[in-house]
Amino acid sequence: MTKPKSAKTKGSQEKSSTGATAGVLTAELARRAYRTMLEARLLEEKLAALYRSGKIVGGVFLGRGQEALSVSLGVHLRRGDIYAPLIRDQAGRLAFGDTILDTLRTYLGSSLGSMRGRDGNIHRGRPSEGYHAMISHLGAMVSTVCGSLVAKRFRGEKGTVGATCIGEGGTSTGSFHEGMNMAAVEKLPLVVVVANNQYSYSTPNDRQFACSDLLAKAAGYGVQGHRAVGNDLVDCLSVIGEAVAAARRGEGPQLVVADLLRLVGHGEHDDASYIPEALKKSPLGRDCLELAKQSLVEREWLSEEEAASWHKAVEKDVEETASKVLREPAPDPTEEDWNAFASLGRNH
Amino acid sequence: MTKPKSAKTKGSQEKSSTGATAGVLTAELARRAYRTMLEARLLEEKLAALYRSGKIVGGVFLGRGQEALSVSLGVHLRRGDIYAPLIRDQAGRLAFGDTILDTLRTYLGSSLGSMRGRDGNIHRGRPSEGYHAMISHLGAMVSTVCGSLVAKRFRGEKGTVGATCIGEGGTSTGSFHEGMNMAAVEKLPLVVVVANNQYSYSTPNDRQFACSDLLAKAAGYGVQGHRAVGNDLVDCLSVIGEAVAAARRGEGPQLVVADLLRLVGHGEHDDASYIPEALKKSPLGRDCLELAKQSLVEREWLSEEEAASWHKAVEKDVEETASKVLREPAPDPTEEDWNAFASLGRNH
Amino acid sequence: MSSITYLEAIRLAQQRALKEDPRVFIYGQDIGVFGGAFKATKNLAKEFPGRVLDAPISEDAMVGLAIGAAIEGMRPIVEMQFADFSTCGFNQIVNQAATLHYRTGTPCPIVVRLPSGGTPGSGPFHSQSMEAIYAHYPGLVVMTPATVEDAYTMMLEAVALEDPVIFCEHKFLYYHLKAEKLPKFPGEELPFGKARITRPGRDATVVAYSAMVHEALAAAEELTQDGYDIEVVDLRTVRPIDTDTILASVARTGRLLVVGEAWPWGGVAAEVVARVATEGFGLLDAPPQRLNAKETPVPYHPALWGTHRPTASSVANSLRQLLEL
Amino acid sequence: MSSITYLEAIRLAQQRALKEDPRVFIYGQDIGVFGGAFKATKNLAKEFPGRVLDAPISEDAMVGLAIGAAIEGMRPIVEMQFADFSTCGFNQIVNQAATLHYRTGTPCPIVVRLPSGGTPGSGPFHSQSMEAIYAHYPGLVVMTPATVEDAYTMMLEAVALEDPVIFCEHKFLYYHLKAEKLPKFPGEELPFGKARITRPGRDATVVAYSAMVHEALAAAEELTQDGYDIEVVDLRTVRPIDTDTILASVARTGRLLVVGEAWPWGGVAAEVVARVATEGFGLLDAPPQRLNAKETPVPYHPALWGTHRPTASSVANSLRQLLEL
Ligand SMILES: Cc1ncc(C[n+]2csc(CCOP(=O)(O)OP(=O)(O)O)c2C)c(N)n1
Ligand SMILES: Cc1ncc(C[n+]2csc(CCOP(=O)(O)OP(=O)(O)O)c2C)c(N)n1
Ligand SMILES: [Mg+2]
Ligand SMILES: [Mg+2]
């Protein structure tokens, strides 16, 4: 089911990062990443609580355990880049500029949220600001990001990248394949991060794919491959930093594969009892937030005290924002324009 | 655009055949293969003539130049196997048991053909006999063959294989990807032959894919890979023979990649002027039928005289069959049942 | 006493199909040990080892596999995790499954289960009703059971049919609907393809299917207070459509309202209205009417969703208008 | 004097769009140097270097790419090689393009060109008319030009619209239809979304679109011999449908026949009949009728194909029956 691999195995076109201290990694970046992970974690805990208390209807889908990987992509993107996060990317979203406020608004369906109650939870974004709003159909965002990058190429914009994430299960979709191939043909500055969390919903990897290493797909598309240790923030930051930099330099699409575990169900309705205890106790199951703190403290980039005060501050922020949003108006069906067209009137 | 490769380059999971004299190759097999290639070639020439004279309406899509590769798969299949040929597989079809008669009937839309005028040309088959009838949508047959193999597994049938072909262009489809991955997960005895004829319709390879070698896809799916020299009958026979044997032995899906050129347009309406003369004159452009004859003659498996007499006999057969079919009744719309359902009456 | 839900009926029908017919197997994401996103295959993998298989996230290939297996004589059931994801298997369904028998004479007896329809908070991609899309294609049977009993017997019928069946099971009904016991065998009450007069009436006919049958029934109940007696027809299958039963009903009531949870353009309601207008024009005392979802994606917020789809109260409103025409 | 075909009109409209609007680019299989399977982009790659791009055989990703480019302000045109292959891009069209504006407020101005409809010998997979499938989805505009002039102006309109447009261009009309000159700009004759009274008449209204307009016109001509004067309405766009023009026509003639080349179930004809029955019931002197393709895949043999789709003579027959009702 799970195939633990040593972190730096080389795939055929794989580029190994130069390790934890590689190029782009600075204390400031790591601190920002850690703080954002913390925000994501505490915000998600609040979302789970709101779901349990019946305030959020539908579903809540969390990225617990995947914050290090997710944030590492988000922090390496900048204004003008394109980002299409997927299910478990609360941390990456916040790093890219999404807010605790808009997350809560969207989950709670507030009419003030960017989706205005029309769409919810993980399906949020602000496409006109380069922040794509995923559709549920896995794989679909790969080619969409390609399209935005093609637009930038047409406009002569240089040095911007596009990025998306996907689970190992999503790599089985035809969409993923077509998008990867297309990106490679067009040599687009696309970074695709595959979060191999060993399960797609309940399905273990041996029912999802049969290659011995997902990174072997890179050579099949003719793109560069990178491997990151999914729950090691410092490794994720440096590997993804290098992947994003390579894309920015014009080296074409970059595929990053990281093994990890989600430390939570597929959604909050799911107790993930299909994940064996032994796996949870394996290195894969170590909590990236905890590991990140240790690692930053060891490097003296962060003190325990600071971490604790951040925790408190974020908690407060989340609580206050949630109370505020809970008082915000729900969308009013009689005010809704009920029109799917941008240029046509209603009822066409 | 085209990336000529040495015939025996090793991909990561690639199995090279042991060469021209490998296991299964016998004079008898090679003679049968050659004769079938000849049938396919002469039959297709007739189809082209019927198209030019307006007798065949719609389109004619030929496999000229790809007979060696196509036939090599067909001759290695046997009763009980599953075969889903694609566009350029006239030779493989005949080897699998399709006939000159039914080909002509289908192209001419005869009501006596297996498609009864309802479908035509390359879209023919007898699914209930393991001979799938392709739909046009490229890639779709990969998973369909998987399904038939799963059925055989349910029934406990052992030692049968399923096989399909696809062009290099077809590998870009999501269907191809999903089917390959599924076959690998299920460890099915599937053989997929990719005929890399450098163009998909007019589109050169550099607009179709970016991997340096299509065989690199094998590792990405976790299937065994093989390379054949696409216009060398003896090499195709031995490589595909080995691939089919491996599938039969239970080694799971086998991907065969062969470089070659189609020596004809995409369809008979197309003059293929987009294919550069230099490429046509390269080793890739050598006619597999001619090469096969030389090779068999050199090995003293066939004499020039015999080849000439076969040519004559096949030509006669094709001509006589065509005259016969041309006199057969067209389907009568007033007799047609106009019912798409198997178990419901008309007009449901 | 334990009562049986609509969801459980579907599970039990699949269990029975697996038990009685060795050709049956089930294929879909998370349907094995996990028992499916909605638990429609709970325990079946254990009870029938090797016959309830987890699929990769590959809807196109899932349907392709089912077709290939059907060609070889199997009776595959494919579970889509949500109807909405069947768009990714659309090509195989409409171009291969639907055409196979006409083209080749080989039947394609597959069942594709679509957990369909809206539930609060499910949003644009987990709420769709795609029956009209599939019913457009000759060669596909489209079932839309509205009751626990029908969910059970129609699933058995679906497996038995020689044709590909799109089985639209409504997620809102999964837990909301219960029955005390199940019919012994299909056809006990009504044969395949026959609509049901769920509630006989005199003043107007409401034609509905799936979850909308229950909104129609509630609306009919509401209108008794105004002294109206409304007939409710449950289509049960939307392809084929039982036009005869509809026409007979309209012949009695003279008034027709068709309710569909999907969008109006080319939907079941359009098709039924077109048939009645064409074949039963003279039976109508008033213009036939239809009521559908609003013309947007299915919204996420429950307040929007509740207005987006037809409800008992909007059906009752439409009926009041119809009765005044 | 050189006359302009329907196909050439589409090519010229794309040329003009490329010339006048730097946001426009075209993406599709074999459309670059080769000029497309039907030559609808002939020479455009040369005239507009880098803006007419060959795509891999990846319909899903082709549409996805167009959507992403549209989000960033481009105006992509995607050519499907045949309408039939758009099933492989179906998910992106109906779930991403159609929903984007409603969900996010960001418009999705893409054009997806579908070479549609039957021609002799093209068979089940190169003949389909998919307008009803796409028109079902709120958020998609579906155009079905029937004339050379409309092919030209509507393509320009399609590129200008803020919404995703499914542009159903009919392959049978590609070479068969000719015009002497093209309109200068869209809207010169009729605004977007307005149907055309192609032939005024008194005794019955035939509503048609795309290739069927010409079958309807020939049938109308044939019926002059019986002394009937038939009005022919060309819908031009099937989403939106110009119900007002249809109702006004039926108000004059009292009789309605709707003709569609696609299958009947939930097709354009069903939708139009449903609208007229609902909104124009009192205008009808006889039951509204529809005529569609037969209920099978489109057959290969020309003799079967010629019977499968509506033709002038089957339209004339339907009209005669309608006039006797
Ligand atoms: C095309 C498609 N089919 C099915 C689903 C339903 N679905 C949602 S999440 C999920 C599992 C995804 O697994 P993976 O890609 O590994 O991501 P993870 O949830 O593990 O992060 C499935 C099957 C979907 N979203 N899209
Ligand atoms: C999904 C899909 N899209 C488009 C087409 C139209 N089409 C038919 S053949 C062809 C080119 C195929 O190229 P390749 O797979 O390389 O096979 P070859 O023709 O070279 O043998 C295309 C684009 C199709 N059949 N299916
Ligand atoms: Mg996963
Ligand atoms: Mg090719």
Side-chain angles (χ1 to χ4, degrees), chain D residues 300-325:
Chain D
Y300 167 73
H301 194 284
L304 296 179
W305 174 72
T307 304
H308 183 267
R309 68 168 205 146
T311 57
S313 96
S314 67
V315 175
N317 280 344
S318 295
L319 273 172
R320 283 197 191 89
Q321 282 168 31
L322 173 63
L323 288 159
E324 274 162 29
L325 287 176

Side-chain angles (χ1 to χ4, degrees), chain B residues 87-88 136-138 167-170 197 199-201 262 266, chain D residues 29-30 57 59 81 85 88:
Chain B
I87 312 182
R88 318 226 175 265
S136 293
H137 303 72
L138 294 168
E168 81 295 339
N197 64 10
Y199 287 84
S200 82
Y201 206 157
R262 68 168 144 74
H266 167 63
Chain D
Q29 292 147 23
D30 305 296
I57 308 180
E59 284 77 8
Q81 201 152 78
F85 299 130
C88 299

Side-chain angles (χ1 to χ4, degrees), chain B residues 107 117 136-137 172 202-203 207, chain D residues 30 54 57-58 84 126 300-301:
Chain B
Y107 260 102
S136 293
H137 303 72
S172 301
S202 75
T203 304
R207 294 295 302 165
Chain D
D30 305 296
D54 282 336
I57 308 180
S58 300
D84 316 52
H126 292 76
Y300 167 73
H301 194 284

Side-chain angles (χ1 to χ4, degrees), chain B residues 148-164:
Chain B
S148 291
L149 293 173
V150 164
K152 284 170 182 291
R153 191 175 67 188
F154 274 116
R155 284 202 300 262
E157 269 182 49
K158 291 248 164 69
T160 54
V161 306
T164 189

